Amino acid sequence: MEEVVEDIVIVGAGIAGLTTSLGLHKLGIRSLVLESSDGLRIEGYALTLWTNAWKALDAVGIADSIRHQHELLDGNVSTSTVSGLQTSYISFKVKGKHGVHEVRRVKRNMLVEAIAKELPSGTIRYSSKVVSIEESGFYKLLHLADATTFKTKVLIGCDGVNSVVAKWLGLKKPTSTGRFAIRGCVDFKHNHGFASKSMQFFGNGVRFGFVPCDDDTVYWFFTWIPTSQEKQTEDSPAKMKQLVLSKLGKMPEPVRAMIENTEVHSFVPYRIKYRHPRQLIWGNTSKGNVCVAGDALHPMTPDIGQGGCAALEDGVVLARCLAEAISGKTKEKAETEMDEYKRIEMGLKKYAKERKWRSIELITTAYIVGFIEQSDGKVMTFLRDKIFAVFLAGLLLKKSSFDCGKLIIS
């Protein structure tokens, strides 16, 4: 059995893990990222990056390299699939708390690759699945599937909704909402002809939408609560495609054609899960020299598009808090391992405190928005389309009016 000693180990090379590592690197601190797969995880097609995400990307110095590859979105249009009528429009070209809003749909592989490219060679260790964690004095021991053991002063879990690190902290597994989602991406090979707007459609228990990534590519999503009979066909992409088409309701023909032209293998449903806010109120998101970030901290429903944005925020805040703790070593006396452990513990506690209520706010808002937008029934349809539509759309901008701050340590 090989034992390797590292000061900081980050589990998971997703958005949160890579951003944390890059933030630490910008502050002159080395970290090692352990990734269970044999390469970067680039699945997921695309994600909307709201104003708060661009603040975080500016903080780590890579925003401009991503901006020029993805077009600005002008606004969000909501339409009823029951009546076929538009229920709300909100412009993204307005000022928020931190300046004019910036919203773009970004291809996930480009985002992840852009962050990873800025890391020093050897920062990411692939095919490194963590199977167990144990304590060893002021260190944590990470046992990998390949029989390697890492001994580390700081352990950061960015290992997603099924986080091994979150489990070690005592956090429960994310809860299923009962909703399913299917996502797809269509490359038109030439101009797709859609406006630079986020388009969303609600009605009959369905939530559907699409967003252009650039001149040629469009990302789309579809969420619903399947019946027991529909669950029996979830392993058949062909049947799932027909199900999506049958539930679109009153949809413009070019939009329906977009779904028709999506390759069948894209129609693989997944369960939408979230972490109940009370776990973040009463549970441990940091303990000693261990903490979690990204989906390991705040898995949420996709209804306000903040999962990836919040992960970017986490990375900046965590890197800043941890760097402050590490740089706070006293020069007046020799420091013991206990002293160093306590500094790290306080740094991670500061991070957890700073992210606690922001995470609760986003999880709760996303859940409520999804519940209302996907609800069925005449009363709820009337309330959503006639009363709540503008308010719900406005929440998208309201929750993105947030600045996680710079990578500056005091």
Side-chain angles (χ1 to χ4, degrees), residues 287-333:
K287 182 179 179 182
N289 55 356
V290 181
C291 73
V292 285
D295 282 345
L297 169 62
H298 46 58
M300 64 185 77
T301 66
D303 304 285
I304 59 172
Q306 280 291 338
C309 302
L312 289 166
E313 293 177 13
D314 291 342
V316 173
V317 176
L318 179 49
R320 184 173 61 235
C321 291
L322 184 54
E324 284 178 353
I326 291 173
S327 65
K329 180 178 179 180
T330 179
K331 296 179 181 179
E332 297 177 0
K333 63 176 182 178

Side-chain angles (χ1 to χ4, degrees), residues 79-86 250-251:
T79 302
S80 170
T81 59
V82 178
S83 65
L85 301 176
Q86 180 177 314
K250 293 183 179 180
M251 194 71 60

Side-chain angles (χ1 to χ4, degrees), residues 103-115:
V103 187
R104 303 172 195 265
R105 193 73 190 182
V106 173
K107 294 178 181 177
R108 191 181 188 281
N109 64 320
M110 289 186 176
L111 173 62
V112 172
E113 288 167 356
I115 303 172

Side-chain angles (χ1 to χ4, degrees), residues 24 41 141 143 163 171 183 212 216 257 267 283 287 295 301-302 336 399:
L24 289 169
R41 290 183 283 129
L141 299 180
H143 300 291
S163 171
L171 295 172
R183 300 174 292 185
D216 302 327
F267 291 83
K287 182 179 179 182
D295 282 345
T301 66
T336 65
K399 298 309 173 185

Side-chain angles (χ1 to χ4, degrees), residues 89-140:
Y89 172 74
I90 183 167
S91 172
F92 293 157
K93 295 182 176 181
V94 293
K95 281 189 175 182
K97 291 181 181 179
H98 306 283
V100 178
H101 280 282
E102 178 178 5
V103 187
R104 303 172 195 265
R105 193 73 190 182
V106 173
K107 294 178 181 177
R108 191 181 188 281
N109 64 320
M110 289 186 176
L111 173 62
V112 172
E113 288 167 356
I115 303 172
K117 187 174 69 173
E118 297 297 313
L119 294 172
S121 177
T123 297
I124 307 172
R125 186 182 191 269
Y126 296 106
S127 301
S128 301
K129 181 178 177 60
V130 176
V131 294
S132 65
I133 303 166
E134 65 174 304
E135 297 193 61
S136 177
F138 298 111
Y139 294 82
K140 293 297 178 288

Side-chain angles (χ1 to χ4, degrees), residues 29-309:
I29 298 172
R30 183 186 183 280
S31 63
L32 177 71
V33 181
L34 301 179
E35 171 54 42
S36 60
S37 62
D38 58 4
L40 282 176
R41 290 183 283 129
I42 58 174
E43 72 281 356
Y45 298 114
L47 66 160
T48 299
L49 293 188
W50 297 84
T51 308
N52 53 316
W54 293 106
K55 296 290 186 184
L57 289 171
D58 277 327
V60 294
I62 63 166
D64 287 340
S65 67
I66 301 170
R67 280 189 176 104
H68 78 271
Q69 299 179 78
H70 299 87
E71 63 184 26
L72 274 170
L73 297 177
D74 297 330
N76 179 83
V77 179
S78 297
T79 302
S80 170
T81 59
V82 178
S83 65
L85 301 176
Q86 180 177 314
T87 57
S88 73
Y89 172 74
I90 183 167
S91 172
F92 293 157
K93 295 182 176 181
V94 293
K95 281 189 175 182
K97 291 181 181 179
H98 306 283
V100 178
H101 280 282
E102 178 178 5
V103 187
R104 303 172 195 265
R105 193 73 190 182
V106 173
K107 294 178 181 177
R108 191 181 188 281
N109 64 320
M110 289 186 176
L111 173 62
V112 172
E113 288 167 356
I115 303 172
K117 187 174 69 173
E118 297 297 313
L119 294 172
S121 177
T123 297
I124 307 172
R125 186 182 191 269
Y126 296 106
S127 301
S128 301
K129 181 178 177 60
V130 176
V131 294
S132 65
I133 303 166
E134 65 174 304
E135 297 193 61
S136 177
F138 298 111
Y139 294 82
K140 293 297 178 288
L141 299 180
L142 307 181
H143 300 291
L144 273 55
D146 65 3
T148 303
T149 296
F150 281 88
K151 184 177 182 179
T152 183
K153 295 178 181 179
V154 184
L155 171 59
I156 301 170
C158 301
D159 44 341
V161 294
N162 297 312
S163 171
V164 174
V165 181
K167 182 179 179 181
W168 186 88
L169 285 170
L171 295 172
K172 295 179 181 179
K173 289 184 176 181
T175 303
S176 173
T177 61
R179 300 165 59 200
F180 278 48
I182 298 176
R183 300 174 292 185
C185 194
V186 182
D187 186 349
F188 285 76
K189 306 300 181 185
H190 53 83
N191 196 300
H192 49 64
F194 292 112
S196 298
K197 297 175 183 177
S198 170
M199 307 291 293
Q200 298 193 45
F201 303 82
F202 314 113
N204 296 321
V206 163
R207 179 174 179 271
F208 169 78
F210 69 91
V211 193
C213 295
D214 50 38
D215 291 339
D216 302 327
T217 313
V218 177
Y219 164 89
W220 62 265
F221 63 86
F222 177 88
T223 69
W224 87 111
I225 299 176
T227 63
S228 56
Q229 185 176 359
E230 289 169 351
K231 287 181 180 179
Q232 294 175 8
T233 64
E234 65 178 286
D235 293 329
S236 171
K239 291 181 179 179
M240 283 291 105
K241 182 173 184 177
Q242 291 308 310
L243 181 139
V244 171
L245 288 167
S246 71
K247 289 181 175 289
L248 289 181
K250 293 183 179 180
M251 194 71 60
E253 191 54 40
V255 179
R256 187 175 291 273
M258 177 178 65
I259 303 300
E260 289 273 16
N261 293 329
T262 302
E263 294 183 7
V264 174
H265 66 75
S266 296
F267 291 83
V268 178
Y270 69 94
R271 288 168 171 77
I272 297 177
K273 299 180 180 182
Y274 76 112
R275 188 176 303 290
H276 198 288
R278 65 169 170 259
Q279 288 193 50
L280 300 185
I281 295 174
W282 305 112
N284 290 320
T285 57
S286 78
K287 182 179 179 182
N289 55 356
V290 181
C291 73
V292 285
D295 282 345
L297 169 62
H298 46 58
M300 64 185 77
T301 66
D303 304 285
I304 59 172
Q306 280 291 338
C309 302

